[in-house]
Amino acid sequence: MKPKFKVGQTVQLSTNGLGRAVRGTTYEIISIRPANDDEFQYVIKSPTEAYQRCVREGLLAV
């Protein structure tokens, strides 16, 4: 199984993990974590946020 996204790629987060849509914010893939339950996890960072997020592949879109 291969990751759907690559390090350095710009993506959007479809939800913030609480079921709320996140609109207009783009994130850069910082690193890829091993698959967990057949789904990769990604460390992402927005230039407008001071922190990084770790999210499942299914929550990201181009």
Side-chain angles (χ1 to χ4, degrees), residues 8-60:
Q9 187 173 356
T10 300
V11 295
Q12 292 188 341
L13 184 59
S14 60
T15 135
N16 65 3
L18 301 173
R20 298 183 187 135
V22 179
R23 294 189 177 114
T25 304
T26 58
Y27 296 86
E28 180 182 346
I29 304 276
I30 303 299
S31 66
I32 304 170
R33 304 240 172 143
N36 186 12
D37 295 330
D38 295 328
E39 190 171 28
F40 285 94
Q41 294 185 358
Y42 297 82
V43 176
I44 60 174
K45 172 80 173 78
S46 168
T48 63
E49 297 176 341
Y51 51 89
Q52 297 178 346
R53 300 171 183 249
C54 185
V55 297
R56 293 175 300 145
E57 188 171 72
L59 297 178
L60 299 175

